Amino acid sequence: MTYNKLFPAELTQKIQDAGIIAVLEVERVEDAVPVAHALTMGGITVIELALRTEAAVPSIREIKQNVPEMIVGAGTIIFPEQVESVIVAGADFGVSPGCNSAVIKECIDKHFPFGPGIATPTELEMALSFGARLIKFFPAEPMGGVSFLKSMNAPYNYLHVSYIPLGGVSEQNLHEYAQMPQVAAIGGSWIAKRDAITKKDWSGITARAEAAIKLWKQCKGTV
């Protein structure tokens, strides 16, 4: 069984090809397009824009309209009613820190690509029961990092599950995740931190994006 009911194969491949997903919190809509441009200049092609501010949904809309090459994921989807709003804004996919059956069902009903979040085998089995095969592993480092993920995945490896670890992943441990075949991509919040966006540190964000992409490719042997 290798199907993924919640994520199209083509989109999954694009995320895997990207390797790095920049995780953002945008406080002001006017910062959305500049930060997206800064990331694309550094080679980042996928972002997860967290729904933690009032500017989040409008920011998704602005980025999709003005930086169409960016694949935009809506993060922190924890209520079913949020699904429709991010679809209307133009989000390409959604992810969640947890495994909420009501959110998953809403995404399935609306044919919206979605990666539920898991931290335990029980949560993983819930995600699998809905047909998920691309799954967010959160919080990655506090749960035990790569060692824990390898152990948890072992009984399910024959199902060809792919993971996006997020939470404590950094330049210092990125190589550990890159070397695990089941890791499709990692979520990185250090690339464009909230204060860097607020300070409009676009050159710094571009530099960190470039460094992250270079490191990922080196670890994957694709440089």
Side-chain angles (χ1 to χ4, degrees), residues 43-63:
I44 297 287
T45 58
V46 185
I47 62 172
E48 175 193 328
L49 204 159
L51 303 185
R52 301 176 193 170
T53 68
E54 292 184 4
V57 173
S59 293
I60 291 173
R61 183 181 300 110
E62 287 296 307
I63 293 171

Side-chain angles (χ1 to χ4, degrees), residues 7 56 66 86 98 182:
F7 239 95
N66 295 282
V86 299
Q182 293 81 9

Side-chain angles (χ1 to χ4, degrees), residues 22-29 31-32 35 39 47-56 59 63 73 75-76 188-199 202 205:
V23 181
L24 316 177
E25 286 187 51
V26 177
E27 293 186 84
R28 299 177 302 212
V29 178
D31 291 333
V35 71
L39 289 166
I47 62 172
E48 175 193 328
L49 204 159
L51 303 185
R52 301 176 193 170
T53 68
E54 292 184 4
S59 293
I63 293 171
T76 323
S189 58
W190 81 91
I191 300 168
K193 290 185 176 181
R194 191 166 180 165
D195 63 338
I197 297 172
T198 301
K199 294 176 182 176
W202 311 135
I205 290 171

Side-chain angles (χ1 to χ4, degrees), residues 1-194:
M1 187 185 298
T2 60
Y3 74 100
N4 187 339
K5 188 175 181 179
L6 297 180
F7 239 95
E10 183 178 356
L11 182 55
T12 300
Q13 188 61 54
K14 287 181 178 179
I15 289 174
Q16 187 168 339
D17 290 343
I20 304 284
I21 301 173
V23 181
L24 316 177
E25 286 187 51
V26 177
E27 293 186 84
R28 299 177 302 212
V29 178
E30 58 264 32
D31 291 333
V33 171
V35 71
H37 279 309
L39 289 166
T40 58
M41 287 180 64
I44 297 287
T45 58
V46 185
I47 62 172
E48 175 193 328
L49 204 159
L51 303 185
R52 301 176 193 170
T53 68
E54 292 184 4
V57 173
S59 293
I60 291 173
R61 183 181 300 110
E62 287 296 307
I63 293 171
K64 288 307 297 181
Q65 290 177 351
N66 295 282
V67 195
E69 65 270 29
M70 181 67 80
I71 298 171
V72 180
T76 323
I77 299 177
I78 56 178
F79 301 110
E81 56 267 26
Q82 292 176 303
V83 176
E84 178 67 20
S85 65
V86 299
I87 291 174
V88 172
D92 297 293
F93 68 94
V95 292
S96 174
C99 195
N100 185 325
S101 60
V103 172
I104 295 173
K105 289 175 182 176
E106 184 71 9
C107 291
I108 291 174
D109 289 345
K110 295 188 179 302
H111 305 285
F112 182 58
F114 182 69
I118 64 95
T120 67
T122 299
E123 293 168 352
L124 175 55
E125 288 192 13
M126 181 185 293
L128 293 174
S129 73
F130 282 100
R133 292 297 181 273
L134 181 63
I135 295 170
K136 183 174 179 176
F137 173 48
F138 176 85
E141 282 297 293
M143 287 303 298
V146 171
S147 177
F148 178 87
L149 182 57
K150 286 180 178 179
S151 296
M152 180 176 64
N153 176 71
Y156 310 99
N157 193 46
Y158 75 101
L159 294 172
H160 304 286
V161 185
S162 295
Y163 302 92
I164 301 173
L166 174 63
V169 181
S170 67
E171 289 178 299
Q172 285 69 45
N173 57 27
L174 183 152
H175 66 282
E176 298 176 11
Y177 292 94
Q179 291 165 4
M180 183 174 172
Q182 293 81 9
V183 170
I186 60 98
S189 58
W190 81 91
I191 300 168
K193 290 185 176 181
R194 191 166 180 165

